[in-house]
Amino acid sequence: MRVSTEQTIAALGRESRIFEPPADFAANANVKADAYERAEKDRLGFWDEAAQRITWAEPYTEVLDWSGAPHAKWFVGGKLNAAYNCVDRHVENGLGDRVAYHFEGEGGDTRTITYKDLQDEVNKAANALTELGVKTGDRVAIYMPMIPETVFAMLACARIGAPHTVIFGGFSSKAIADRVQDCSVEFVITADGGYRKGKASPLKAAVDEALESCPDVHTVLVVKRTGQEVAWTEGRDKWWSDAVDGQSTEHTPEAFDAEHPLYIMYSSGTTGKPKGILHTTGGYMVGTSYTHYAVFDIKPETDVFWTAADIGWVTGHSYIVYGPLANATTSIMYEGTPDTPHQGRWWEIVQKYKATILYCAPTAIRTFMKWGHQIPAEYDLSSLRLIGSVGEPINPEAWVWYRKNIGGDRTPVVDTWWQTENGQILISPLPGVTATKPGAAMRPLPGIVADVFNEDGKPVGNNEGGYLVVKEPWPGMLRTLWGDDDRFQRTYWDRFPGVYFAGDGAKRDQDGDIWVIGRVDDVMNVSGHRLSTTEIESALVSHDAVAEAAVVGAADETTGQSIEAFVILKQSAHGGGEDIVAKLRQHVREEIGAIASPRSIMLVEELPKTRSGKIMRRLLRDIAENREPGDSTTLADSSVVDRIRSEVSGG
Ligand code: WT7
């Protein structure tokens, strides 16, 4: 069934149309419907076949060893080098002149990085890291803007078997210090700064501050991006150009065990302390390259692929760096914000490089909706043949707007569900197979066994909701949490024994298709970024003036959720007024980063608590969303909600 999109916005809330893949897309698709059947019959055989996408220095002897569940070993005994798979083998195959990245700086400066260029730069960087004392197994922290050197640095680490931990450039010095300490980093790669919103914004300064509490860091390699002034610690700090440029472009990659750590990515959990999610090499490379091939229908000879995300998040790791490079793809890398210097910046880039596939977050799509469809309409977007969404639930209105105004009412839309822990896309339409429904991630990819469980761990029926789970291991899965295997077990595997619990709620519709609703724990999703309520509460409470704090995520039209804080001040801090609110906001920025800054901080006299002292965030969410508060019978003092409401409304 295909109906025109000329329906009113009002009707979209009840969006029930189904979009079949265009016939020519379906006919030429990389992956056809038979993949589901093959994977269902022989799941490990299916992943064995997918693993042939990777070049193994030594073959594996077993696809999966799950005997130590929940600790998976994929491609047991196999050896490989991730950087070799991303770069060298393509050059060896005669693809050295193919563009790996069209880099576009925010200010309009550009660089074209071919696979041969990439090989030279990665090799030089690998030689430099070795010369500076980085050894296999050492962790390297990377705090960078969105520039090609970020990829060079990551692949240089992978090449020598030193797991990287990339820290998103929006995080504060405190967040850097926490991560550097948590995985005992001694080597940091950063830049003087990067361009954001038309300005040179500092990065090294945050590293300098962080390292005051990280005495073990002996070397900081600094890429010159903006030329802004930086402080310099002699003996510790070295310019990237001095250390790297003169190195040999020859470097022999060592083959590492399939389970050798590739990287650690920190992500918020339900407690104050971020989790160091560990990914290893073989399974991750297979998972990202297969899903990139299948979900984005990649044709490396002709496609120009653009993941408009930051490399500092898992989306960037898997679909700007490892997946696309493993598949010898040409990608776009854009440094800046969507509205610098104007609101048509993304569409200008699509037009300029003739992007064929765009992958971004619903929060961006909703922002573009707000700016108006006439902005993308000024550009030629006809090169696009597929568009994707990731990071949060996409509401049907945004999905339909995206398809119509960016996809020209022509391209398939893939709503892809996965998490930092997953490493790879798990639930998504296949663009040449699936008839899509706006707002639905639809069904698990071939080789993935996911389900929706009720409280008792039984699969729900159609038209029922519950908890999203993954019932069988998958290649790109996390292997543990760095330094906290107990927490790994507790967080993901204890809720439903033997089954991976994702922390998301989902429902199955009348056809059994999956709609992901969002987190069911104390984790918020703000503009596609995962933030923990507890972490922000701890940050607030660490301020002198604060006695107690509660944070909730309230529904927000553009960002998905917004951070709303309720704060009880210490007696001594009363009378601080507006000033104290501004100070607290600044304090959270310093503790975690600007992305964690609450939209509103409401000063209250008390918080709604159960008799056992647990804050009832549900009621605070009702208040923040301006709704009649729900059941408050378990409150120790049921009148407290009314008092907070009158405080918040200023009455
Ligand atoms: C959480 C994971 C994976 C890349 C970026 C986010 C939410 C992610 C979807 C989607 C509904 C989604 C979930 C998940 N989420 N994709 N397509 N539909 N929700 O990675 O920071 O690890 O966050 O993002 O709530 O648990 P992350």
Side-chain angles (χ1 to χ4, degrees):
M1 176 182 67
R2 243 190 110 183
V3 189
S4 104
T5 45
E6 297 310 310
Q7 291 181 353
T8 62
I9 292 291
L12 295 180
R14 293 174 273 114
E15 181 58 58
S16 60
R17 282 172 298 162
I18 293 179
F19 295 88
E20 300 282 354
D24 54 333
F25 198 114
N28 295 310
N30 285 349
V31 178
K32 308 241 167 51
D34 65 296
Y36 291 112
E37 291 141 41
R38 278 188 295 120
E40 206 161 310
K41 274 203 207 100
D42 179 9
R43 191 172 56 87
L44 296 183
F46 172 85
W47 286 117
D48 189 13
E49 190 190 308
Q52 304 320 306
R53 312 182 57 76
I54 293 303
T55 303
W56 300 86
E58 269 180 47
Y60 49 87
T61 53
E62 197 184 351
V63 174
L64 169 68
D65 175 1
W66 190 232
S67 61
H71 299 97
K73 288 193 180 123
W74 279 89
F75 308 111
V76 183
K79 286 197 156 80
L80 74 164
N81 185 290
Y84 173 84
N85 272 279
C86 288
V87 185
D88 304 60
R89 62 173 178 154
H90 306 319
V91 178
E92 287 167 14
N93 288 337
L95 302 176
D97 290 337
R98 180 178 294 170
V99 175
Y101 293 104
H102 292 294
F103 168 73
E104 178 88 16
E106 193 186 68
D109 56 315
T110 63
R111 284 163 76 183
T112 305
I113 312 288
T114 65
Y115 275 89
K116 179 68 183 122
D117 296 334
L118 193 56
Q119 185 178 42
D120 290 350
E121 296 305 324
V122 172
N123 286 356
K124 286 194 286 182
N127 284 322
L129 293 187
T130 302
E131 188 179 292
L132 292 168
V134 181
K135 288 189 269 317
T136 300
D138 290 354
R139 276 78 59 206
V140 173
I142 299 178
Y143 185 70
M144 293 275 274
M146 280 284 290
I147 56 175
E149 280 76 8
T150 309
V151 180
F152 306 160
M154 290 165 73
L155 293 180
C157 287
R159 204 170 173 93
I160 63 172
H164 53 72
T165 182
V166 180
I167 303 166
F168 172 60
F171 277 121
S172 68
S173 59
K174 172 76 167 36
I176 301 172
D178 288 347
R179 286 156 176 74
V180 164
Q181 287 164 3
D182 190 71
C183 62
S184 325
V185 165
E186 297 178 12
F187 197 100
V188 178
I189 306 176
T190 187
D192 48 358
Y195 292 102
R196 256 192 85 76
K197 298 191 188 294
K199 286 201 302 262
S201 100
L203 288 167
K204 180 165 189 296
V207 170
D208 288 337
E209 199 183 320
L211 297 192
E212 284 171 22
S213 54
C214 307
D216 292 341
V217 173
H218 57 71
T219 307
V220 179
L221 206 48
V222 188
V223 176
K224 189 175 273 183
R225 166 65 181 141
T226 60
Q228 69 201 101
E229 209 162 306
V230 289
W232 205 253
T233 303
E234 282 309 328
R236 186 196 71 182
D237 299 350
K238 294 189 172 58
W239 287 111
W240 172 280
S241 54
D242 291 343
V244 174
D245 288 359
Q247 296 285 347
S248 161
T249 55
E250 302 291 318
H251 182 274
T252 310
E254 190 184 329
F256 298 106
D257 189 89
E259 287 301 333
H260 187 77
L262 181 62
Y263 70 82
I264 300 158
M265 163 122 278
Y266 283 84
S267 188
S268 295
T270 52
T271 70
K273 192 174 177 294
K275 308 183 279 200
I277 292 162
L278 178 72
H279 285 291
T280 58
T281 311
Y284 179 80
M285 291 305 296
V286 171
T288 53
S289 76
Y290 174 73
T291 51
H292 182 247
Y293 164 83
V295 175
F296 299 112
D297 190 49
I298 282 297
K299 310 282 195 287
E301 300 76 27
T302 46
D303 274 321
V304 178
F305 180 74
W306 186 16
T307 291
D310 196 285
I311 291 180
W313 305 109
V314 76
T315 306
H317 280 49
S318 296
Y319 299 107
I320 299 178
V321 183
Y322 291 105
L325 292 178
N327 291 339
T329 308
T330 297
S331 287
I332 294 170
M333 181 192 299
Y334 172 54
E335 178 185 31
T337 51
D339 53 351
T340 307
H342 56 80
Q343 295 179 335
R345 189 73 168 105
W346 276 27
W347 319 121
E348 186 179 78
I349 292 172
V350 167
Q351 172 177 292
K352 175 172 173 185
Y353 296 105
K354 299 194 168 43
T356 57
I357 301 160
L358 174 68
Y359 188 38
C360 67
T363 186
I365 298 165
R366 290 189 296 262
T367 303
F368 298 133
M369 279 175 81
K370 216 163 56 184
W371 291 346
H373 63 86
Q374 66 286 353
I375 293 175
E378 282 168 33
Y379 299 87
D380 178 6
L381 307 182
S382 62
S383 56
L384 288 171
R385 66 182 192 93
L386 172 62
I387 56 180
S389 161
V390 61
E392 20 161 357
I394 180 164
N395 43 315
E397 294 89 321
W399 193 104
V400 169
W401 186 95
Y402 189 36
R403 184 180 190 279
K404 177 164 192 244
N405 295 286
I406 307 304
D409 234 344
R410 166 188 85 245
T411 69
V413 178
V414 284
D415 172 15
T416 65
W417 176 85
W418 58 298
Q419 315 171 290
T420 307
E421 290 86 343
N422 304 152
Q424 61 176 90
I425 297 169
L426 295 189
I427 305 180
S428 164
L430 281 175
V433 177
T434 315
T436 50
K437 301 171 183 172
M442 302 300 294
R443 60 185 283 198
L445 288 176
I448 301 301
V449 187
D451 207 339
V452 184
F453 273 6
N454 65 18
E455 290 288 344
D456 307 325
K458 300 271 177 323
V460 303
N462 290 354
N463 284 318
E464 284 177 10
Y467 302 103
L468 191 55
V469 296
V470 190
K471 298 202 281 196
E472 297 288 348
W474 62 99
M477 68 196 293
L478 80 166
R479 298 304 196 262
T480 187
L481 295 178
W482 187 265
D484 202 348
D485 196 57
D486 248 26
R487 190 177 179 192
F488 166 68
Q489 176 82 40
R490 262 184 289 126
T491 310
Y492 307 108
W493 305 95
D494 279 2
R495 176 69 179 83
F496 303 110
V499 166
Y500 174 85
F501 171 50
D504 277 319
K507 67 169 201 243
R508 281 200 187 272
D509 68 11
Q510 64 283 1
D511 307 314
D513 293 320
I514 294 177
W515 299 63
V516 181
I517 295 159
R519 306 292 307 192
V520 292
D521 51 16
D522 290 334
V523 172
M524 294 174 289
N525 191 325
V526 181
S527 299
H529 300 324
R530 196 204 290 197
L531 291 162
S532 141
T533 53
T534 336
E535 201 180 345
I536 300 175
E537 286 166 4
S538 317
L540 285 165
V541 173
S542 74
H543 190 281
D544 269 354
V546 175
E548 223 185 324
V551 168
V552 297
D556 181 276
E557 258 189 26
T558 309
T559 58
Q561 283 188 307
S562 67
I563 307 167
E564 312 287 336
F566 296 81
V567 166
I568 304 177
L569 292 178
K570 285 182 186 156
Q571 212 55 45
S572 54
H574 275 189
E578 278 299 301
D579 201 32
I580 186 70
V581 167
K583 279 189 192 142
L584 291 179
R585 202 171 268 128
Q586 180 57 25
H587 183 69
V588 174
R589 284 170 169 264
E590 283 162 15
E591 288 289 302
I592 306 173
I595 47 168
S597 178
R599 181 172 65 184
S600 56
I601 296 181
M602 291 161 266
L603 303 178
V604 295
E605 294 293 333
E606 52 203 324
L607 290 167
K609 288 189 184 158
T610 61
R611 270 162 226 121
S612 62
K614 201 172 171 330
I615 295 171
M616 290 188 75
R617 292 202 181 79
R618 175 172 58 78
L619 295 175
L620 292 173
R621 212 170 298 128
D622 289 339
I623 294 170
E625 289 173 355
N626 230 337
R627 216 185 4 247
E628 217 28 61
D631 181 17
S632 59
T633 45
T634 54
L635 277 180
D637 170 2
S638 60
S639 58
V640 71
V641 171
D642 289 334
R643 285 200 296 278
I644 296 175
R645 266 154 65 92
S646 74
E647 278 164 353
V648 165
S649 60

